[in-house]
Amino acid sequence: MAEEPVSSFAAFADAYRAAKGLDIAEQLNPESGTALVFADICAERARLAEDGAIAAPLDDLQVEAWETEENTWKLIQLLFSAPAHVYETPLATVQRILDSDSELAELKIVREWLQDLLPVTHTVEVRKGYLSFTKNALRSAGRTQLPTGRRGNERLVQHLDPDAAVRGPGTLDVEDVNYEKALLRALFEYVRAGELDKALHLCTQTSQPWRAASLRGALFYHDPGLSELSGAEAMGNRLRHVWRHVAEKAATSLALDPYERALYGALCGQLSSVLAVSETWEEHLWGYINARFEQRLQRELDDAAPVAAPTAPAASAEATEDLESIFEQLVQSKAPGVEHAAMDPYHITQRAVITNQLPDLIARVNARLPELESLRPEDYARFVRFFAHLVLYCLLIHIPLPITLQAPILNAYVGVLQRANQSSEMVALYASSLETADAHVVFAEFLCSLPTDAPLEERRRALLQSQPHGLDPAIVSRCTVDMVFAALLPALAESGPTSDWDASLTDAERRLIFAIDWLTFFEATYPDAIVQTNRLMRVFMVTGRLHAAHSLLQRLPHELFVQLDQLDVPADQVLELDHWRSYFDVLDKNVAVRGLWSDYCQSESRTDQHQGLGALTQAADAARLANIELLELGWLRLGIEPQTEEEEERLHELLVIRRRYVPEVILSLHLMLVDTSQAIPANLAHALTLPNLIADERLHLYAEFAAPEPTADGSHNLLRPYLEHVRNAALLAMDRHQDVLGCDKGVVV
């Protein structure tokens, strides 16, 4: 069974992972450079897409798109490795000009890249003998002694020299006309593909040595005996400037076939003749680049000549435009399909690479990322992947890009990887390419996007994937919690209070609670876990989310509490966490008493009541003592001297919490003691002694009854409702003949 191909994301990640350890020379190697590796991946993806073998999420099946991206990476390789490029034309002057003129060298590179994209597609059969059908027709006419040769209604030429059909009168045989058209097109495509030698060979094979000689005039003269450049023998045209004049005339002669005009136009840099036979965006671009290169090179040669050169033909306006203007001409072209092709993202990238405007391109891509999200998911993923790797390639070969340009596109690619279900290790690989601070932020954003209910061990493994790529898991976990809190806490704090003890957790509450998990995987972040837990507890308690606060405390690992004394964390933070635990321990004990009291009241026999009374008494005593201990503890009075706004806010939150929950604790304890006094008479006396604790000046518990918000009757004083309950308890004690002051736990006689 054939092995299933990896996703394009994994293929590019493997290539990038391998490239990170290479030096610049290896990155730009003309045989195995990183851009060429990316190009090979695109070629393989195009093959797989054509075979329908791609099944990974968000992978693209557009063969043409993969091929265009492949071509773009090849262009990037050629241009970015330009300093090491050696010009192959055996003419020392041309070589010296190319070495000293960066624009000409770049034009040559772009032209050679386009030549690779424009192979010969209209080949022609080799026919021995020149104009054989016309020649045979003329021979036939001679044998029949007709005054002129004819083919149908057409009069044939009387001579077979190359200019006979142009000079007239008469025309060639239709078979020869068609063959000549096909031959000229093939010759032009060979020249456009940079294969002049094949064009010369084809001319010789088809018995047209005169045409081979005509085309050979485009070669620069070189004699190895007169130059340091190597070569087997002298070659080229000594009078190339004269030949160029003639070629210019041929390229503009309307008497010639369009492809013959384009053939000579391509060799001498005449633009309009080449554009006349161009169809695609690449073909038009080649025409402009070739014309500019040939004419610019000729001017430099004329300037470098030891004697004055003959006046060169005037360059066309289009050919003298700078590179940016050339691309503008393509955008405004009226040729079918060219204007649309000029707006293709890969062609736009090629334009930016050629005109050295990559930073501007990346900035425009970043600005349009929200708009690009409306594309098909596969298209969006492909574009973001390409531009992300373009940025990374620039970093690999030390082309400076501001961090503001790197971060958005890499962040977007991280999002693509997540939607494509790629591994956290792959995300860490790309996040680590950013500056250290931004890398931590990017990976933290990825962690924030993981499912809230993912198993703890899975989330821990995801966090650990950051370490092999130079990221600090502790910093990443802190960033992750900060992001979750920044996104959810403001809305939670502004929401209305709730008091449902058993309310189910909302999605926001669950995400906030589970965010603390990121700080509990390593001992290094235990102090952060304590501080952030306290912060979240205060928000939950201020808004009355007791169930969420209780769930948060239960979520903390046992190992954290074991090491509290050894952690480097402020004492007031440890004390606050301990106070939260004490409060919820009291609540748990109160709930247990209520459950036992309910069971006691529902007992159907005295035996059942007697059996439940012991457990109820024990639980009630434990709850009472825990409540008293909490109140005597000075709950949430931490002795903090605020130095910052954050500490001022913390003190205010603690004050609000105390004044909300201390009265509730006291009232709940009072009601529990009074209710259970039916079975445990001593509890009524305990309830009547509770006001003494509240009035104790050492504890100032009475001050907590100043409600932070108006009560149901519009009052800010919670003490009055409590005293009403105490009055009712005293009346109950009188009915039971007990001491109303709670001094005597027995019955008054």
Side-chain angles (χ1 to χ4, degrees):
M1 183 176 179
E3 184 177 353
E4 184 177 344
V6 299
S7 70
S8 61
F9 307 106
F12 272 90
D14 290 342
Y16 174 59
R17 192 180 292 108
K20 290 184 71 174
L22 303 179
D23 57 29
I24 294 184
E26 293 172 312
Q27 301 281 2
L28 299 175
N29 187 294
E31 301 296 331
S32 59
T34 301
L36 292 180
V37 175
F38 289 163
D40 290 341
I41 293 174
C42 294
E44 177 63 15
R45 306 311 294 185
R47 184 189 66 78
L48 292 173
E50 193 168 18
D51 296 341
I54 296 179
L58 297 184
D59 258 340
D60 205 338
L61 291 171
Q62 295 189 31
V63 177
E64 183 179 353
W66 283 115
E67 291 174 345
T68 309
E69 183 177 343
E70 174 192 357
N71 297 335
T72 304
W73 284 118
K74 288 180 178 178
L75 171 65
I76 291 170
Q77 168 69 27
L78 290 170
L79 286 179
F80 287 178
S81 61
H85 187 76
V86 178
Y87 188 62
E88 297 177 350
T89 302
L91 184 62
T93 306
V94 174
Q95 181 63 65
R96 175 165 50 82
I97 292 172
L98 288 173
D99 288 341
S100 61
D101 192 317
S102 59
E103 182 184 348
L104 265 176
E106 183 173 316
L107 285 169
K108 178 179 179 294
I109 292 170
V110 175
R111 185 175 71 165
E112 291 177 347
W113 167 70
L114 287 166
Q115 287 169 353
D116 292 338
L117 306 187
L118 299 171
V120 177
T121 56
H122 297 82
T123 56
V124 65
E125 64 175 327
V126 175
R127 288 184 180 179
K128 297 296 183 180
Y130 177 59
L131 301 179
S132 55
F133 284 91
T134 303
K135 181 171 60 178
N136 291 336
L138 291 175
R139 284 177 177 173
S140 177
R143 287 195 298 269
T144 57
Q145 298 182 349
L146 294 176
T148 59
R150 287 183 176 274
R151 176 56 60 95
N153 294 325
E154 294 289 337
R155 180 182 179 185
L156 298 178
V157 296
Q158 298 303 300
H159 305 280
L160 295 180
D161 61 277
D163 296 325
V166 176
R167 185 179 64 249
T171 184
L172 301 177
D173 185 89
V174 64
E175 290 291 338
D176 289 332
V177 170
N178 292 335
Y179 184 75
E180 283 291 300
K181 287 180 178 294
L183 176 64
L184 290 170
R185 182 166 188 174
L187 293 174
F188 166 72
E189 290 186 356
Y190 275 124
V191 169
R192 188 178 62 188
E195 298 177 334
L196 178 59
D197 55 335
K198 291 186 178 180
L200 299 177
H201 183 61
L202 179 59
C203 291
T204 304
Q205 284 184 307
T206 55
S207 304
Q208 296 189 16
W210 59 268
R211 196 187 297 277
S214 174
L215 299 181
R216 192 182 296 273
L219 296 176
F220 290 99
Y221 176 73
H222 173 60
D223 187 343
L226 303 176
S227 171
E228 295 180 356
L229 295 177
S230 61
E233 57 185 12
M235 60 174 292
N237 185 1
R238 291 175 180 267
L239 302 175
R240 188 179 185 277
H241 59 280
V242 177
W243 172 89
R244 193 168 183 278
H245 278 283
V246 177
E248 178 82 17
K249 295 286 186 181
T252 56
S253 175
L254 298 179
L256 299 181
D257 181 85
Y259 279 100
E260 187 168 10
R261 296 200 298 270
L263 174 61
Y264 287 101
L267 291 171
C268 71
Q270 203 282 332
L271 178 61
S272 59
S273 59
V274 175
L275 293 183
V277 297
S278 299
E279 297 178 356
T280 67
W281 183 86
E282 287 83 3
E283 291 173 355
H284 278 77
L285 180 58
W286 184 90
Y288 279 101
I289 295 294
N290 178 72
R292 180 164 177 77
F293 174 78
E294 291 290 344
Q295 296 188 24
R296 173 74 184 275
L297 178 60
Q298 188 60 49
R299 287 201 304 271
E300 295 292 336
L301 286 171
D302 292 344
D303 292 342
V307 297
T311 304
S316 62
E318 297 88 342
T320 57
E321 298 278 2
D322 59 24
L323 290 173
E324 186 62 32
S325 299
I326 287 176
F327 284 102
E328 284 300 320
Q329 294 275 354
L330 291 175
V331 171
Q332 300 170 14
S333 173
K334 301 302 180 183
V338 174
E339 180 181 3
H340 176 74
M343 302 309 296
D344 179 87
Y346 295 115
H347 290 161
I348 292 174
T349 303
Q350 293 163 11
R351 171 179 177 172
V353 172
I354 292 172
T355 59
N356 197 26
Q357 293 182 354
L358 267 183
D360 292 339
L361 172 66
I362 300 300
R364 295 199 304 272
V365 170
N366 288 336
R368 294 189 60 186
L369 280 174
E371 178 184 341
L372 292 175
E373 289 183 355
S374 62
L375 298 174
R376 285 192 320 130
E378 293 81 4
D379 291 337
Y380 176 77
R382 171 162 45 85
F383 291 142
V384 170
R385 176 193 48 72
F386 169 72
F387 285 112
H389 284 86
L390 181 59
V391 167
L392 294 172
Y393 181 75
C394 290
L395 298 180
L396 287 173
I397 61 174
H398 297 184
I399 292 180
L401 286 177
I403 190 63
T404 53
L405 295 185
Q406 303 172 30
I409 190 65
L410 291 177
N411 282 337
Y413 188 51
V414 167
V416 168
L417 292 176
Q418 179 202 348
R419 290 192 289 274
N421 300 323
Q422 300 301 307
S423 68
S424 55
E425 186 278 333
M426 192 182 298
V427 175
L429 169 69
Y430 287 98
S432 64
S433 304
L434 292 165
E435 295 291 332
T436 303
D438 296 276
H440 289 117
V441 170
V442 168
F443 195 70
E445 289 177 344
F446 164 72
L447 295 182
C448 288
S449 65
L450 292 178
T452 305
D453 55 353
L456 270 179
E457 185 56 32
E458 180 180 326
R459 297 165 72 198
R460 183 177 182 275
R461 284 198 303 269
L463 177 59
L464 282 175
Q465 292 296 340
S466 63
Q467 203 163 19
H469 298 285
L471 303 182
D472 187 339
I475 297 177
V476 171
S477 58
R478 294 184 190 112
C479 286
T480 305
V481 175
D482 288 342
M483 288 178 183
V484 175
F485 279 21
L488 301 177
L489 273 187
L492 195 70
E494 294 172 3
S495 63
T498 179
S499 58
D500 293 336
W501 166 250
D502 58 349
S504 59
L505 293 176
T506 66
D507 181 65
E509 292 168 352
R510 185 180 300 276
R511 289 182 60 192
L512 286 166
I513 293 170
F514 282 31
I516 298 295
D517 292 341
W518 297 113
L519 300 172
T520 63
F521 294 137
F522 311 102
E523 293 182 10
T525 53
Y526 277 0
D528 302 276
I530 293 172
V531 172
Q532 295 289 31
T533 296
N534 288 337
R535 178 186 175 190
L536 187 53
M537 287 293 293
R538 292 194 298 272
V539 174
F540 282 157
M541 296 295 284
V542 165
T543 56
R545 291 174 164 80
L546 290 177
H547 180 53
H550 194 212
S551 300
L552 172 58
L553 284 180
Q554 290 179 318
R555 186 88 180 165
L556 294 176
H558 175 70
E559 293 77 10
L560 184 147
F561 296 110
V562 171
Q563 300 186 38
L564 275 180
D565 295 337
Q566 289 79 39
L567 297 178
D568 183 16
V569 62
D572 58 277
Q573 294 287 353
V574 176
L575 183 60
E576 181 178 343
L577 180 63
D578 186 62
H579 282 199
W580 296 127
R581 298 172 67 194
S582 297
Y583 173 79
F584 282 98
D585 179 62
V586 166
L587 288 193
D588 289 339
K589 286 181 168 58
N590 290 348
V591 170
V593 171
R594 289 296 178 185
L596 292 171
W597 173 243
S598 176
D599 293 340
Y600 178 85
C601 294
Q602 295 177 11
S603 298
E604 297 181 354
S605 65
R606 288 185 176 275
T607 302
D608 293 340
Q609 285 187 344
H610 179 74
Q611 291 175 346
L613 182 59
L616 176 62
T617 302
Q618 184 177 0
D621 286 343
R624 176 177 59 82
L625 293 175
N627 277 268
I628 297 300
E629 182 181 352
L630 181 69
L631 295 173
E632 292 178 341
L633 182 65
W635 185 60
L636 297 184
R637 292 182 179 273
L638 307 179
I640 304 172
E641 293 294 334
Q643 303 293 330
T644 64
E645 291 185 6
E646 289 77 9
E647 291 177 349
E648 290 279 2
E649 177 65 21
R650 181 186 176 197
L651 277 180
H652 175 71
E653 290 174 340
L654 293 174
L655 175 62
V656 171
I657 293 169
R658 286 200 312 273
R659 293 192 171 179
R660 174 168 184 173
Y661 293 101
V662 168
E664 286 188 6
V665 169
I666 293 173
L667 184 58
S668 176
L669 174 59
H670 173 86
L671 294 177
M672 180 192 72
L673 292 173
V674 172
D675 289 345
T676 57
S677 66
Q678 299 177 44
I680 310 172
N683 279 357
L684 184 57
H686 289 310
L688 292 173
T689 59
L690 192 56
N692 298 328
L693 185 66
I694 298 169
D696 193 329
E697 284 293 337
R698 294 170 301 173
L699 303 178
H700 296 284
L701 292 175
Y702 56 84
E704 311 296 3
F705 281 82
E709 297 178 357
T711 57
D713 60 359
S715 170
H716 281 269
N717 189 352
L718 296 174
L719 192 56
R720 186 181 300 276
Y722 168 67
L723 293 177
E724 184 65 26
H725 284 289
V726 173
R727 175 181 177 276
N728 293 335
L731 294 175
L732 181 61
M734 294 177 64
D735 290 343
R736 294 179 180 176
H737 306 290
Q738 288 182 249
D739 185 355
V740 296
L741 298 179
C743 297
D744 186 359
K745 307 301 187 292
V747 178
V748 178
V749 181

